[in-house]
Amino acid sequence: MTDAAELQARTRALLAAHPPATTDRTEFLRARFDAGLAWVHYPAGLGGLDAPRALQAVVDAELAAAGAQDNDPRRIGIGLGMAAPTLLAYGSDEVKSRFLKPLWTGEEVWCQLFSEPGAGSDLAALGTRAVRDEATGDWIVDGQKVWTSSAHTARWAILIARTDPEQPKHRGITYFVCDMTDPGVEVRPLRQITGEAEFNEVFLTGVRIPDAHRLGEVGDGWRVAQTTLMNERVSIGGARIPREGGMIGKAAGVWRDRPDLRTHALHRRLLDLWVDAEVARLTGERLRQQLVAGQPGPEGSAMKLGFARLNQAISGLEVELLADEGLLYGDWTMVRPDLVDFTGRDAGYRYLRSKGNSIEGGTTEVLLNIVAERVLGLPPEPRNDKDVPWKDLAR
Amino acid sequence: MTRQPDLLYSDTEDDLRAAVRSLLADRADPQAVLGRIEEPSPYLPGLWEALAGGIGAAGLLVPEKLGGQGASHREAAVVLEELGRAVTPAPYLTSSVVATETLLALAADSGPAADLLAALASGERVAVLALPFSTAPRKPGDPERRVPAVADAVAADVLLVPRPDGLYAVDAADAAVTRQSSLDLTRPLAVVDTRDATGVRLAGTEAGRAAVRRGLLAGAGLLASEQLGLAEWCLEETVRHTKERYQFNRPVGSFQALKHRMAHLWLDVVGARAAARAAADALAAGAIDAELTVSVAQAYCSGVAVRAAEECVQLHGGIGMTWEHPAHLALKRAKADQLALGSTGHHQDTIATLTDLPSPS
Ligand SMILES: Cc1cc2nc3c(=O)[nH]c(=O)nc-3n(C[C@H](O)[C@H](O)[C@H](O)COP(=O)(O)OP(=O)(O)OC[C@H]3O[C@@H](n4cnc5c(N)ncnc54)[C@H](O)[C@@H]3O)c2cc1C
């Protein structure tokens, strides 16, 4: 059993062998992975040491104190939060050792080819086809995906496709790893509300995927996707933030710096939101403490819902607070950014981009359904799509 | 870096919760509470002795050398969560928290304050602070000799009376205590008149004022736990009811309009738990940001409790409006608690001051 003292010693040995000040960032990250200090709860040889997840904090604190560079979790969020746990749970040994290391070091970025024009909240309705080539055993994929974040920077994708249209929708889906450099993959920027193209349309035409890149059984892709989606929702709330650490700090800063902009009505709203933000911070802290104590609660879904509402309300207030400046917008040029940067941008961008927080990763409405049914145990709504073959569904 | 509070419950706290919950299930179920709200006294016979003396809940904040349990605000908060769940008529918040903390702030190892503390800790006597229940910790205001809306004064043996020249302990028998008809039937209010009573001087002006502020601060901080417990009960009852109630050939809880409202309430309760725990922990630790944390908890939890109780009444339909159903007890308690120990507005003003977010000049 690996304990805190041992991890501390291992971290110090890593730092001694690869001093952060003089070591190339990627080289340092590779060494960290090889030392089992990337994600300590992962298996030995795959970046971890089979240690309790809570002990990652010990390693991170040591590394932060030594000024070591991190692997930029925001830029590789989809790989880290969603692809990795799914690869770990369903990948073969070869798949795991091929993909996990460059995923973690950020040398290979991942994207998620799930949503389609006709399948968003109702993801299981998707129509992208994967047909087996009997001669080679490969899969040939045709279809269209949409709103795919980072497809333009991604080397690999997690993909779900329909392999049996005769089955009811949840039963005919299979899960794959897709090579984004395959000639059949075409990525077109999809401009969004902010003027930028952070997400994309992805057209898949005769894309050939080897059977070795299938995760889980044929037809069992929905279950595999559940692993991905569950991890998507709990991946928030990891880091400790100080009071006023989030977006509220921006609004509070404007309030302090610009007495000329203050009104009584805005003051009330600012204080309401200040309290909400502080309570959200405490809720995140409580969730973290529960995880460390090995008693994870369902509060993870509360975090995502609360974060969306709060970001939207605070950024809206900030635009109003800024008065004439709020009427301006930084830059409408269409660019294809690597990541979402709330704190580095202006209030107008924050206002517009935060509208996506209640849509991406499951809409607020869908997550409220999940809370109501899985946390509170309220009865499901009657459904008429469960036993009908996918090909006969209305669309 | 902000201090990281301990926001979980310890095993001891869980044990204490279980003991209080089972006592209340036995002796203070909703029917028992409903049965007494129109009696001259809403307090249930024998309950206080069992809770305060039997379980030892009254002395949690009092050090062992003064006759108490030597526990902390964290444990007292758990007791209040349970009392809030059951909307229990008991002078716990007023005597075992506000009055007790006021006396503790006088730091007396012997003398009348210490003697009184020991009597409060055992539950043998009940004391309340003779200030209106709405008094905020920051602005106790100028004490009057005839004070309206004093909570639980009708249960008090001793009144703690702030006067211009100091803080006094007045025997309740020497004062005129006149019951008022209160919105919250389970926490009766009274007009307290101590003009004709002398009492014993416990502290001078400044020490007395500081002690009163301290008592009110602890009260406001732990009131958040009462509000949390109440909100949680309202949500659980509403979920239970809407799962069982059929209309349109379906449980009404399967309609999405209702599910989303209950899911929102759950989110509010999750936040209220973090906020209330943070306040209890900050008080227990004597944290430097205790006042801010208490005001955050009050500004948040008051609204959550009221919303939960209002939703409870609405989603119970006609049953929610009937006297026989306990939903109205929760609503009345929640609405009164919103004003108790400083309104949301008062606490927001405190937050504005402490965080340097001033109102427009
Ligand atoms: C910024 C951003 C990035 C994204 N990145 C990716 C990505 O990388 N990969 C990917 O696969 N997808 C991505 N998405 C897509 C995202 O997952 C979907 O947009 C989302 O699941 C909603 O689906 P939809 O857009 O089809 O909306 P719809 O499902 O059409 O929903 C329309 C409205 O109906 C509501 N609704 C739908 N069903 C129900 C129901 N059962 N009960 C109540 N209300 C309901 C919704 O809440 C919404 O308000 C991204 C989206 C955004 C905004």
Side-chain angles (χ1 to χ4, degrees), chain A residues 53-136:
Chain A
R53 190 181 195 133
L55 292 180
Q56 186 69 43
V58 175
V59 175
D60 292 349
E62 262 325 291
L63 291 174
Q69 294 204 58
D70 73 3
N71 61 340
D72 202 351
R74 287 192 307 160
R75 204 172 63 86
I76 59 170
I78 292 176
L80 215 51
M82 296 155 79
T86 315
L87 290 165
L88 186 67
Y90 289 95
S92 63
D93 289 346
E94 296 82 76
V95 159
K96 284 187 243 189
S97 35
R98 162 63 187 86
F99 290 120
L100 287 172
K101 185 169 170 179
L103 180 159
W104 188 85
T105 60
E107 290 164 88
E108 288 179 350
V109 170
W110 285 66
C111 68
Q112 180 195 20
L113 294 173
F114 278 21
S115 303
E116 298 181 6
S121 301
D122 186 10
L123 186 57
L126 60 90
T128 290
R129 283 301 310 273
V131 177
R132 195 142 196 179
D133 173 355
E134 293 303 337
T136 60

Side-chain angles (χ1 to χ4, degrees), chain A residues 78 111-117 119-123 146-150 192 198-199 353 356 358-366 369 381, chain B residues 256 260:
Chain A
I78 292 176
C111 68
Q112 180 195 20
L113 294 173
F114 278 21
S115 303
E116 298 181 6
S121 301
D122 186 10
L123 186 57
V146 74
W147 308 305
T148 316
S149 309
S150 308
Q192 65 199 46
E198 188 194 299
F199 52 31
R353 180 57 184 84
S358 52
I359 300 171
E360 59 196 331
T363 68
T364 288
E365 291 73 25
V366 165
N369 287 347
E381 289 197 81
Chain B
Q256 195 177 67
H260 283 195

Side-chain angles (χ1 to χ4, degrees), chain A residues 48-239:
Chain A
L49 295 165
D50 293 299
R53 190 181 195 133
L55 292 180
Q56 186 69 43
V58 175
V59 175
D60 292 349
E62 262 325 291
L63 291 174
Q69 294 204 58
D70 73 3
N71 61 340
D72 202 351
R74 287 192 307 160
R75 204 172 63 86
I76 59 170
I78 292 176
L80 215 51
M82 296 155 79
T86 315
L87 290 165
L88 186 67
Y90 289 95
S92 63
D93 289 346
E94 296 82 76
V95 159
K96 284 187 243 189
S97 35
R98 162 63 187 86
F99 290 120
L100 287 172
K101 185 169 170 179
L103 180 159
W104 188 85
T105 60
E107 290 164 88
E108 288 179 350
V109 170
W110 285 66
C111 68
Q112 180 195 20
L113 294 173
F114 278 21
S115 303
E116 298 181 6
S121 301
D122 186 10
L123 186 57
L126 60 90
T128 290
R129 283 301 310 273
V131 177
R132 195 142 196 179
D133 173 355
E134 293 303 337
T136 60
D138 291 347
W139 294 86
I140 312 295
V141 180
D142 288 279
Q144 185 195 341
K145 297 287 177 175
V146 74
W147 308 305
T148 316
S149 309
S150 308
H152 52 290
T153 55
R155 174 67 182 79
W156 297 100
I158 43 178
L159 163 78
I160 43 182
R162 184 152 312 275
T163 41
D164 188 350
E166 307 291 331
Q167 294 277 346
K169 63 181 179 183
H170 293 95
R171 276 178 252 151
I173 295 172
T174 304
Y175 198 117
F176 302 97
V177 170
C178 173
D179 184 343
M180 293 297 283
T181 64
D182 190 286
V185 177
E186 191 199 338
V187 177
R188 293 188 202 154
L190 188 56
R191 206 171 177 201
Q192 65 199 46
I193 197 166
T194 55
E196 305 187 336
E198 188 194 299
F199 52 31
N200 305 269
E201 292 180 294
V202 179
F203 296 85
L204 306 162
T205 317
V207 176
R208 186 170 281 274
I209 298 183
D211 193 51
H213 285 182
R214 167 168 54 80
L215 299 182
E217 298 305 314
V218 175
D220 202 27
W222 185 249
R223 194 155 65 101
V224 183
Q226 290 309 306
T227 306
T228 310
L229 297 174
M230 256 167 46
N231 279 286
E232 176 170 23
R233 279 152 202 165
V234 298
S235 65
I236 335 160

Side-chain angles (χ1 to χ4, degrees), chain A residues 240-244 252 255-256 262-264 267-268 270-272 274-276 278-279 281-283 285-286 289-290 293 295 298-303 305-306 309 364-366 368-369 371-373 375-382, chain B residues 1-9 235 239 242-243 250-251 253-256 258-260 262-264 266-268 270-275 277-278 289 292-293 295-296 299-300 345 348-349 351-352 355-361:
Chain A
R240 281 186 153 157
I241 56 162
R243 189 172 279 149
E244 283 194 17
W255 186 269
R256 289 185 192 115
R262 296 174 191 162
T263 70
H264 286 283
H267 191 231
R268 269 297 152 235
L270 176 68
L271 289 173
D272 277 342
W274 197 94
V275 169
D276 287 350
E278 174 67 1
V279 173
R281 184 184 76 82
L282 291 168
T283 305
E285 176 61 21
R286 190 171 140 78
Q289 292 180 6
Q290 282 179 301
Q295 347 159 329
E299 283 84 349
S301 19
M303 293 306 297
L305 284 161
R309 204 200 44 182
T364 288
E365 291 73 25
V366 165
L368 288 172
N369 287 347
V371 167
E373 290 174 19
V375 180
L376 299 178
L378 286 162
E381 289 197 81
Chain B
M1 189 68 196
T2 330
R3 170 183 171 272
Q4 295 299 343
D6 173 1
L7 300 174
L8 304 182
Y9 298 101
L235 174 60
V239 167
T242 55
K243 275 204 263 193
R250 280 165 69 174
S254 70
F255 288 97
Q256 195 177 67
L258 269 64
K259 283 159 96 163
H260 283 195
M262 288 183 265
H264 273 299
W266 178 78
L267 296 179
D268 289 348
V270 166
R273 170 162 290 109
R277 276 275 92 184
D289 63 352
L292 179 61
T293 309
S295 280
V296 167
Y300 191 81
Q348 284 197 344
D349 288 348
I351 293 167
T355 57
D356 183 29
L357 293 170
S359 62
S361 40

